[in-house]
Amino acid sequence: MDEQPTKIPSLLRTVEWKDNKVVMIDQTKLPNELVFVTYHDYNQVADAIRTLVVRGAPAIGVSGAFGMALAVLQSKATTKDELISDLKKAKEILFQTRPTAVNLAWGLEKIMNVANSGNSVDQIKELVINKSKKMADEDIQINKTMGKNGSELFDNNDTIMTHCNAGALATVAYGTALGVIRAAKETGKNVKVIATETRPIQQGSRLTAFELKHDGFDVSLIPDTAVGYTMANDLVNKVVVGADRIVRTGHVFNKIGTYQVATMAKQHGIPFYVAAPLSTFDMKSDAKDVIIEMRKGSEVTGIGDKKTAPDDVNVINPAFDMTPPELISGIITEKGVATPPYDESIQKLFEAN
Ligand code: MRU
């Protein structure tokens, strides 16, 4: 693995295929350093997903696909069957990394399908690499279309709250929730952003505040505990967040704390929107079956390397929570905006697909 600090480029591209290798921003180092890492082995990509070098549902979906592209290059297979068997092994290792964001399974499945359609080892290799690159390019296009669809829900002079990071850094580029905010600004609306810090690992302060400042947005950072205060004092007009998984009933799984933000928005009559591509929808599972990733206690008992709690304290550290459909004003996608009742409107988005 190479590691290179770089000057900040004007457009952040979170994950990229370059010279038959995967290059990604090491998000664990932000905001202090912008470091790009280069991987040539799918096991390194699996580690990067597990350790949050890359995170955010669409970004890990594409990273999983790029991991599979590395796997075809690493394989010594001489027959189609051997190559498919190597790919299945890589798929399992990549799939085991994080359980909640459905985009990972979606990305891996797309690659397996394309691999199965090939006839020879060489053809499969070419198909898999081209498909993963295409998925990365499509992610940006989808985010832009989603942004355009969502921007119409926002008005001039709105102050928009967002939670966690659903920006360029959670996707290949442009972002989902932050993509909607970008699109609102691009259509000439003067919008301000309030970013929640997002404990325990602070994607809001480390990533969203970094990304929005980098791109010239008016952004204010608040501790998670100030969500109620800012809403009660008319400092927020609307909320938009991303999602890691949305089931067909409109239950949204997103970063821990999203449920609190949505509940508080309902209490204050503030519209609460979710922005996510169709690849984030899981039309098969019920909300009760979705696995919430539980993460290590040290994320809560310290901030970075600094300890902020006694050694032996028990910790409960779920990475995601579920926001029920009755708290959600609309779900913005690249195919349009779903509104209640979600079981009907989500189904229609897929029929239009
Ligand atoms: O644990 P993370 O950082 O991978 O979780 C990401 C989120 O929950 C984001 O808020 C997001 O909305 C999903 S990605 C657009």
Side-chain angles (χ1 to χ4, degrees):
M1 182 190 82
D2 298 338
E3 218 179 71
Q4 283 180 350
T6 316
K7 281 210 290 193
I8 297 178
S10 57
L11 181 76
L12 291 175
R13 187 145 174 157
T14 303
V15 53
E16 203 168 356
W17 183 259
K18 246 188 198 167
D19 304 327
N20 284 343
K21 296 191 184 69
V22 181
V23 179
M24 42 176 90
I25 295 176
D26 182 348
Q27 300 193 35
T28 63
K29 300 239 163 63
L30 289 171
N32 299 320
E33 276 179 287
L34 183 65
V35 172
F36 289 84
V37 283
T38 304
Y39 300 125
H40 56 269
D41 182 328
Y42 72 84
N43 291 290
Q44 295 174 311
V45 174
D47 275 345
I49 297 172
R50 197 178 300 111
T51 57
L52 311 184
V53 166
V54 64
R55 33 64 54 198
I60 65 175
V62 170
S63 299
F66 281 156
M68 296 290 272
L70 290 179
V72 291
L73 292 178
Q74 287 170 254
S75 173
K76 305 260 183 299
T78 53
T79 65
K80 173 176 174 174
D81 284 354
E82 284 169 7
L83 184 53
I84 294 293
S85 155
D86 284 349
L87 275 178
K88 280 188 183 155
K89 206 173 112 202
K91 179 187 168 194
E92 201 42 38
I93 287 170
L94 289 157
F95 177 72
Q96 292 301 334
T97 52
R98 296 196 76 191
T100 307
V102 76
N103 306 60
L104 180 57
W106 167 89
L108 297 172
E109 209 46 54
K110 285 247 177 231
I111 296 293
M112 271 326 284
N113 289 343
V114 94
N116 279 316
S117 74
N119 295 317
S120 66
V121 167
D122 285 347
Q123 193 195 15
I124 294 173
K125 289 188 176 187
E126 197 185 326
L127 283 171
V128 165
I129 292 169
N130 287 343
K131 179 70 183 176
S132 63
K133 289 197 310 200
K134 190 160 175 248
M135 285 164 73
D137 291 341
E138 280 173 357
D139 178 76
I140 304 173
Q141 276 324 309
I142 286 169
N143 292 339
K144 290 194 170 165
T145 310
M146 190 172 8
K148 204 157 163 273
N149 292 341
S151 67
E152 287 157 26
L153 301 165
F154 295 85
D155 297 310
N156 196 29
N157 296 326
D158 269 352
T159 298
I160 307 165
M161 181 178 282
T162 190
H163 184 62
C164 191
N165 174 268
L169 289 164
T171 61
V172 176
Y174 202 75
T176 56
L178 296 193
V180 169
I181 297 174
R182 281 179 205 284
K185 193 176 176 200
E186 280 161 18
T187 56
K189 288 173 195 160
N190 172 33
V191 289
K192 291 184 181 159
V193 183
I194 290 184
T196 56
E197 183 186 15
T198 321
R199 275 286 283 154
I201 56 162
Q202 297 160 290
Q203 289 95 330
S205 55
R206 290 190 307 106
L207 308 177
T208 298
F210 166 81
E211 177 178 333
L212 291 179
K213 292 257 331 151
H214 170 267
D215 293 340
F217 280 80
D218 180 332
V219 53
S220 302
L221 180 65
I222 59 163
D224 300 319
T225 40
V227 169
Y229 173 92
T230 50
M231 289 187 179
N233 286 283
D234 294 330
L235 300 179
V236 182
N237 304 101
K238 279 158 200 149
V239 181
V240 64
V241 298
D244 290 81
R245 191 184 293 236
I246 301 173
V247 296
R248 60 186 186 285
T249 45
H251 292 76
V252 168
F253 293 81
N254 193 46
K255 181 51 56 192
I256 192 72
T258 303
Y259 176 42
Q260 287 170 196
V261 176
T263 305
M264 201 51 82
K266 184 77 163 184
Q267 167 77 7
H268 292 286
I270 295 169
F272 179 93
Y273 296 107
V274 176
L278 292 195
S279 55
T280 299
F281 287 73
D282 172 359
M283 299 297 277
K284 292 194 194 109
S285 305
D286 290 329
K288 66 176 175 27
D289 301 325
V290 175
I291 298 171
I292 300 281
E293 177 182 1
M294 300 302 287
R295 295 190 58 86
K296 55 186 182 195
S298 56
E299 289 180 350
V300 182
T301 55
I303 299 182
D305 292 336
K306 192 172 160 42
K307 244 181 346 129
T308 56
D311 276 337
D312 51 358
V313 70
N314 288 332
V315 172
I316 303 170
N317 186 18
F320 302 97
D321 61 23
M322 191 265 287
T323 299
E326 59 273 18
L327 300 182
I328 301 168
S329 313
I331 303 178
I332 303 157
T333 76
E334 72 273 31
K335 293 286 168 192
V337 181
T339 49
Y342 288 110
D343 44 359
E344 285 171 24
S345 59
I346 290 174
Q347 187 58 41
K348 278 206 187 106
L349 293 178
F350 278 85
E351 281 162 12
N353 199 19

